[in-house]
């Protein structure tokens, strides 16, 4: 992205049918958050800042930055679309008037310690208990209260994708389904997808589904006995109307398992084991064990529905497979599928 390029004239009227443009815009705005933080660390301000071209190219303006209360790093940004007059009159209902974007981990510089700690919270399903997540969710709530949720996009990469997913799930439980672009979202599980032998992969997934479903029945049964008088609420079913756009690379062990997660659900339905898989789909063994000991825990990475896009282009190294830069290359070999949860 170069500041020397002319601004793009986006055909927002075509956006809903053109995933390439949607992901390119969202990925660029996420990249802008990364550069904002690197500008801060490098003390580059004003005309010396390298970040603005990443949003100005698409006619966005930076409305607010989201700052971590622990290390003062910039981890998110709220952008407002300011299209030229000739390009906005007919598309106001299709424009994402605002985009809230979150960066992932920066592996060097001032923010590395805080970012890695949040990565660990993500692994143990404790991200929702961190102040960065609270700041992010509150920012999303405030924007939805001000302008409504239908014309706000959420976007994030890696750790930022997990934060965006947490915010999206929080709003979905309130009946507000936000358009979301989640790049390389962490899937907290063994990366079975990287195994080459399809029979071994299938066997491991079936065994995992049986174990998870069995534990679910045992733990949920025990909880129901202890809470007979309380009304039941199924948070997973409440999320079924939210269909975030997930972008994963099978060579990235951090997010690759989303491919198997959704494909395996279809296979289990085909062999008549759909009920077992639906139990397994919405629970993780770690969270079930915590629940058995009375500790409330909801797996952040598990979602009922998604529009999943897989980058099948070969990746030379992990950095490339996990990076945000891959998601606006025009020559990518992409495979997209819609997965809807059956209640």
């Amino acid at each position: 992205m170069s500041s020397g390029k002319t601004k793009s004239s986006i055909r927002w009227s075509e956006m809903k049918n053109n995933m390439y443009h949607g992901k390119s815009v969202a990925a660029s705005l996420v990249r802008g958050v990364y550069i904002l933080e690197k500008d801060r660390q490098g003390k580059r301000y004003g005309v010396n800042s390298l970040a603005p071209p990443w949003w100005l190219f698409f006619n966005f303006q930076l409305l607010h930055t989201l700052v971590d209360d622990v290390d003062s790093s910039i981890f998110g940004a709220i952008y407002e679309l300011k299209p030229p007059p000739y390009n906005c009159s007919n598309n106001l209902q299709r424009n994402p008037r605002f985009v809230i974007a979150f960066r992932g981990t920066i592996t060097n510089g001032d923010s590395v310690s805080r970012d890695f700690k949040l990565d660990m919270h993500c692994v143990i399903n404790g991200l929702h208990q961190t102040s960065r997540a609270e700041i992010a969710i509150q920012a999303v709530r405030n924007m939805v209260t001000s302008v409504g949720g239908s014309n706000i996009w959420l976007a994030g990469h890696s750790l930022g994708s997990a934060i965006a997913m947490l915010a999206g799930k929080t709003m979905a439980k309130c009946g507000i389904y936000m358009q979301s672009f989640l790049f390389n979202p962490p899937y907290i599980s063994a990366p079975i997808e990287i195994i080459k032998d399809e029979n071994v992969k299938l066997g491991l997934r079936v065994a995992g589904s049986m174990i998870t479903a069995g534990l679910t029945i045992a733990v949920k049964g025990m909880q129901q006995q202890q809470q007979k008088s309380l009304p039941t609420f199924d948070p997973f079913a409440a999320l079924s109307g939210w269909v975030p756009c997930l972008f994963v690379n099978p060579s990235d062990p951090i997010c690759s398992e989303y491919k198997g997660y959704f494909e395996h659900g279809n296979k289990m339905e085909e062999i008549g084991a759909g009920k077992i898989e639906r139990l397994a789909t919405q629970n993780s063994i770690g969270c079930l064990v915590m629940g058995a000991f009375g500790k409330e825990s909801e797996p952040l990475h598990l979602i009922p529905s998604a529009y999943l896009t897989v980058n099948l282009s070969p990746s030379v190294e992990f950095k490339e497979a996990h990076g945000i830069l891959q998601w606006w290359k025009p020559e990518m070999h992409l495979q997209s599928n819609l997965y809807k949860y059956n209640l």
Side-chain angles (χ1 to χ4, degrees):
M1 190 71 62
S2 169
S3 58
K5 291 185 179 181
T6 58
K7 288 184 180 181
S8 168
S9 179
I10 304 170
R11 297 188 178 185
W12 295 105
S13 60
E14 300 175 4
M15 185 64 73
K16 289 187 177 181
N17 298 319
N18 196 330
M19 187 56 64
Y20 171 74
H21 289 298
K23 74 171 178 58
S24 298
V25 172
S28 295
L29 296 180
V30 171
R31 179 63 174 169
V33 183
Y34 276 103
I35 306 303
L36 274 168
E37 171 55 18
K38 290 182 179 180
D39 280 346
R40 184 194 71 85
Q41 293 185 20
K43 296 181 172 57
R44 297 188 296 260
Y45 303 107
V47 296
N48 295 317
S49 175
L50 302 179
W54 291 94
W55 57 82
L56 293 178
F57 183 78
F58 296 106
N59 299 306
F60 281 90
Q61 290 184 0
L62 179 64
L63 192 63
H64 297 296
T65 57
L66 301 179
V67 178
D68 190 287
D69 64 334
V70 174
D71 66 354
S72 298
S73 65
I74 297 171
F75 71 89
I78 302 176
Y79 301 101
E80 182 177 7
L81 180 66
K82 293 289 187 179
Y86 63 83
N87 195 33
C88 67
S89 58
N90 297 324
N91 297 319
L92 291 176
Q93 298 305 314
R94 300 183 179 96
N95 294 355
R97 285 183 56 200
F98 301 92
V99 177
I100 307 176
F102 305 98
R103 68 165 174 85
T105 301
I106 295 178
T107 56
N108 51 51
D110 300 346
S111 64
V112 61
S113 176
R114 173 63 168 164
D115 287 352
F116 279 146
K117 286 180 181 177
L118 290 165
D119 288 336
M120 292 301 101
H121 280 288
C122 189
V123 169
I124 62 174
N125 287 302
L127 188 63
H128 63 290
Q129 298 174 329
T130 66
S131 58
R132 182 180 291 188
E134 291 173 357
I135 293 169
I137 292 172
Q138 191 57 52
V140 173
R141 282 196 180 115
N142 290 344
M143 287 301 296
V144 169
T145 299
S146 298
V147 302
S150 61
N151 50 13
I152 302 175
W153 284 5
L154 294 177
H157 172 248
S158 192
L159 172 63
S161 189
I163 292 175
M165 182 174 290
L166 182 59
K169 291 177 76 171
T170 300
M171 300 311 299
K173 290 175 183 177
C174 300
I176 300 170
Y177 306 126
M178 303 180 70
Q179 178 74 31
S180 304
F181 293 82
L182 310 178
F183 302 98
N184 299 81
Y187 189 98
I188 312 305
S189 174
I192 298 174
E193 186 59 31
I194 65 175
I195 297 173
K196 301 300 182 183
D197 191 308
E198 293 296 327
N199 290 327
V200 172
K201 275 200 292 193
L202 179 59
L204 288 172
R205 289 206 171 101
V206 170
S209 295
M210 298 294 288
I211 293 171
T212 305
L215 281 173
T216 299
I217 293 171
V219 172
K220 300 297 183 183
M222 180 178 65
Q223 291 174 342
Q224 288 175 0
Q225 287 295 321
Q226 296 170 347
Q227 303 174 353
K228 286 182 179 179
S229 61
L230 296 178
T232 58
F233 172 71
D234 185 352
F236 207 71
L239 295 174
S240 60
W242 181 50
V243 187
C245 300
L246 272 56
F247 299 88
V248 307
N249 189 314
S251 298
D252 175 14
I254 291 176
C255 69
S256 62
E257 195 54 27
Y258 269 112
K259 182 176 183 291
Y261 170 76
F262 285 108
E263 290 180 352
H264 180 62
N266 282 357
K267 289 180 181 178
M268 293 290 277
E269 288 283 352
E270 290 171 3
I271 65 175
K275 188 174 182 180
I276 292 174
E277 184 58 21
R278 281 191 290 276
L279 284 174
T281 294
Q282 57 187 291
N283 295 282
S284 73
I285 293 177
C287 290
L288 287 169
V289 171
M290 293 180 68
F293 288 95
K295 296 182 179 180
E296 182 181 355
S297 180
E298 179 185 333
L300 168 64
H301 59 288
L302 300 185
I303 52 176
S305 306
Y307 188 85
L308 180 70
T309 296
V310 180
N311 182 6
L312 298 176
S313 304
S315 299
V316 177
E317 58 181 359
F318 167 76
K319 185 177 180 181
E320 180 183 356
H322 187 66
I324 186 67
L325 298 177
Q326 67 185 292
W327 296 113
W328 58 74
K329 293 181 180 179
E331 68 277 9
M332 286 187 295
H333 177 201
L334 301 179
Q335 182 183 77
S336 299
N337 288 287
L338 174 64
Y339 296 93
K340 289 285 289 182
Y341 182 69
N342 295 318
L343 295 174

